Amino acid sequence: MALSPPAPSANTLISRVFVVDDSSVQCEHAASLCREVFVGASVSMAFDGKQALDLLDDSAVDLMLIDLEMPVMDGIELIGEIARRKLSRSILIMSAKDPKLISSVGMMAEAGGLRVLGCYQKPITANILHQASTQFNSHSTRTSSGLTNEIIITADDLDQGIQNHHFNLHYQPKLTTKGAFLKGVEALARWNHPKLGPISPLTFIDAAENSGRIAALSLHLFDIALRQKAYWNQHGMTFSLAFNLSPSLLLEDELINRIEAAMAQYDIKPKELIFEVTENVMLGNVAKSLQTLTRLRLKGFGIALDDYGTGFANAEQLVRLPATELKLDRSLIHGIAKKPQLEKLISSTVTLAADLNLITVAEGVEDIEDFYLLKRFNIDQVQGYHFCRPLMAEHLQQWIKSDLAKIRASLMNVD
Ligand code: C2E
Ligand code: CA
Ligand code: CA
């Protein structure tokens, strides 16, 4: 059960894993899957929270898989202690309990400063671990010593990136399920750092939020997006543009004025734009966030609730949000055709969205079988690698010219 020295494999940066579960069968099962997926990683086990704390030393492990119901010290208490003593770089919560309860524990852990790679009902699968690995990698780099390190991005780095025009946007199409028409594109931020190479937006957006630069960075990106949108409008490409807004931006008094000034400069109308926000806007200063969103909605902007299905948003919160669109998260959508247990969730979400007059968009469509299922369940639009990855503006134009018609033709026979 002791921790052996790290030996990370080529495709995962996770090199030390700790599984805590009082059921020895489940614990062994999760540990052996970890060995399979995180090739070369050292995997340790404990059967309750107290034993885990006794075995962990001061150097943090990369990932802990934690069961919630355990004797002696349960998962919730253990998570609190791990957050306080910074014993793990990330955690994955697994439990036999109700998914809503598991995801509230996840939120509690995040509020305590832990990186939560997922909250799942048991048993854990290899697929879940692969997803956790991808998420972990996107926030980490490997140092020459072979150990993993968080990338530290300072306010200065961000300012320089903005000044030197190192930030850019890629655009990913959103297609209708009926007829595969191009409805719009989502703008996704990219940063090609001169020394570190490409950095995931999850990492630098987080850094911008924590260093007080999110408004500066977002307005810079918004300017790039609007300039591009104006170009497309002038060339007869009139699809809508979706832009992600961090929850903290909604608290900025100047936000709406700045948005309107930029819109006027490029002569773009609010109905051509959709702002995407996550349900995190319902945490913190809810009144102010709702006020900003409602004002944007009144001015004619579209509002999309992003990442639906990952957290806690429920029907009551949805009703309070002045949204026009619901984006189902890719963790729900990916492989949906092979998960009949999720069909009920999709159909009830579609019904709820229809009641609230919301357009439904499924993200992360990578397989054609998933597309057919989503179409059958009357999801309105799809976005995903199967159709197109996020592309530079020029490449997107190429894709529209040469690939879109082919995609439409290949789907014709099922319309
Ligand atoms: P998001 O808003 O949920 O964006 C969708 C993410 O899913 C994008 O990741 C996109 O590249 C990825 N994606 C799309 N289709 C597929 C698929 O079929 N399979 C898989 N595996 N992934 C797919 P990306 O570009 O890395 O962005 C990650 C997140 O960073 C975004 O998630 C968003 O939360 C944030 N972000 C990106 N740009 C901005 C921005 O300008 N402002 C803010 N505040 N956040 C941004
Ligand atoms: Ca989004
Ligand atoms: Ca999303």
Side-chain angles (χ1 to χ4, degrees):
M1 267 192 233
L3 296 167
S4 48
S9 79
N11 55 8
T12 184
L13 296 177
I14 294 176
S15 63
R16 295 173 83 203
V17 185
F18 208 114
V19 184
V20 196
D21 192 327
D22 64 317
S23 144
S24 59
V25 175
Q26 298 272 8
C27 198
E28 298 279 358
H29 165 74
S32 86
L33 277 179
C34 285
R35 283 187 203 99
E36 210 175 279
V37 173
F38 311 127
V39 183
S42 80
V43 181
S44 311
M45 295 185 289
F47 302 109
D48 65 62
K50 173 139 190 347
Q51 192 182 26
L53 290 178
D54 287 345
L55 288 168
L56 281 162
D57 50 35
D58 286 337
S59 61
V61 296
D62 294 319
L63 171 67
M64 282 185 84
L65 277 70
I66 301 171
D67 178 30
L68 291 186
E69 311 84 9
M70 293 181 295
V72 189
M73 179 191 270
D74 66 30
I76 298 181
E77 236 184 310
L78 174 63
I79 289 168
E81 207 44 34
I82 293 167
R84 200 177 63 76
R85 290 167 50 189
K86 299 194 183 351
L87 293 174
S88 186
R89 294 195 170 84
S90 65
I91 64 166
L92 201 145
I93 300 168
M94 47 184 196
S95 168
K97 282 270 186 288
D98 161 27
K100 265 202 283 189
L101 173 67
I102 310 177
S103 87
S104 2
V105 177
M107 279 166 51
M108 178 208 83
E110 273 173 351
L114 278 173
R115 253 177 74 199
V116 182
L117 300 187
C119 306
Y120 298 96
Q121 274 201 297
K122 289 202 277 191
I124 227 77
T125 63
N127 210 1
I128 290 173
L129 296 181
H130 279 294
Q131 278 180 33
S133 171
T134 309
Q135 268 194 57
F136 186 87
N137 288 2
S138 73
H139 276 257
S140 312
T141 50
R142 183 175 287 162
T143 63
S144 49
S145 66
L147 294 168
T148 56
N149 249 359
E150 295 286 307
I151 303 173
I152 310 283
I153 295 167
T154 62
D156 247 19
D157 296 329
L158 293 160
D159 289 342
Q160 283 194 17
I162 294 173
Q163 269 162 28
N164 298 325
H165 301 279
H166 288 154
F167 288 99
N168 195 0
L169 288 171
H170 280 190
Y171 302 88
Q172 189 179 32
K174 287 154 67 184
L175 302 177
T176 57
T177 47
K178 296 200 176 71
F181 294 105
L182 179 63
K183 269 304 201 196
V185 295
E186 175 178 3
L188 293 157
R190 296 289 178 261
W191 186 12
N192 200 355
H193 192 280
K195 292 207 185 87
L196 299 171
I199 300 175
S200 161
L202 291 168
T203 307
F204 66 75
I205 295 289
D206 212 39
E209 273 168 5
N210 295 329
S211 63
R213 289 301 192 276
I214 191 65
L217 176 60
S218 301
L219 289 167
H220 175 67
L221 293 169
F222 193 56
D223 189 73
I224 299 175
L226 290 192
R227 195 175 322 138
Q228 187 59 52
K229 175 78 179 113
Y231 173 89
W232 282 330
N233 282 355
Q234 282 153 18
H235 292 78
M237 291 175 268
T238 53
F239 44 78
S240 68
L241 176 78
F243 189 84
N244 292 284
L245 282 185
S246 293
S248 60
L249 275 180
L250 301 176
L251 308 178
E252 300 264 337
D253 287 326
E254 270 302 297
L255 177 77
I256 294 189
N257 289 342
R258 302 289 291 270
I259 287 177
E260 288 195 306
M263 302 285 288
Q265 186 189 344
Y266 292 103
D267 192 23
I268 291 166
K269 304 279 167 289
K271 65 170 193 305
E272 302 175 69
L273 247 64
I274 299 162
F275 288 117
E276 298 196 358
V277 296
T278 62
E279 58 202 1
N280 290 341
V281 296
M282 300 307 268
L283 300 170
N285 190 343
V286 183
K288 174 77 183 172
S289 303
L290 283 179
Q291 187 197 64
T292 306
L293 288 173
T294 309
R295 286 181 63 205
L296 288 169
R297 180 72 206 107
L298 279 173
K299 288 177 188 297
F301 292 97
I303 307 285
L305 178 61
D306 206 352
D307 300 349
Y308 186 74
T310 50
F312 57 93
N314 52 33
E316 188 217 332
Q317 279 160 328
L318 264 184
V319 174
R320 291 175 68 197
L321 267 179
T324 50
E325 191 174 303
L326 192 62
K327 295 191 83 176
L328 282 77
D329 192 68
R330 67 168 187 264
S331 59
L332 203 69
I333 299 301
H334 182 77
I336 185 90
K338 293 195 192 77
K339 296 176 191 157
Q341 73 276 20
L342 290 185
E343 287 184 7
K344 191 101 202 86
L345 186 65
I346 299 290
S347 68
S348 60
T349 304
V350 169
T351 309
L352 175 68
D355 284 349
L356 298 174
N357 218 357
L358 300 174
I359 291 168
T360 45
V361 182
E363 287 188 324
V365 181
E366 293 188 18
D367 302 303
I368 193 71
E369 290 78 21
D370 293 344
F371 169 78
Y372 290 142
L373 183 129
L374 295 164
K375 186 178 155 83
R376 191 153 54 78
F377 277 89
N378 289 321
I379 293 281
D380 298 305
Q381 296 172 23
V382 284
Q383 183 181 343
Y385 292 172
H386 178 75
F387 304 100
C388 188
R389 285 180 178 258
L391 297 174
M392 281 162 56
E394 301 89 271
H395 292 163
L396 178 79
Q397 286 150 220
Q398 276 297 323
W399 178 89
I400 295 172
K401 266 196 204 137
S402 56
D403 295 43
L404 182 56
K406 286 183 213 151
I407 290 176
R408 200 171 293 148
S410 75
L411 299 174
M412 269 313 239
N413 49 351
V414 288
D415 266 354

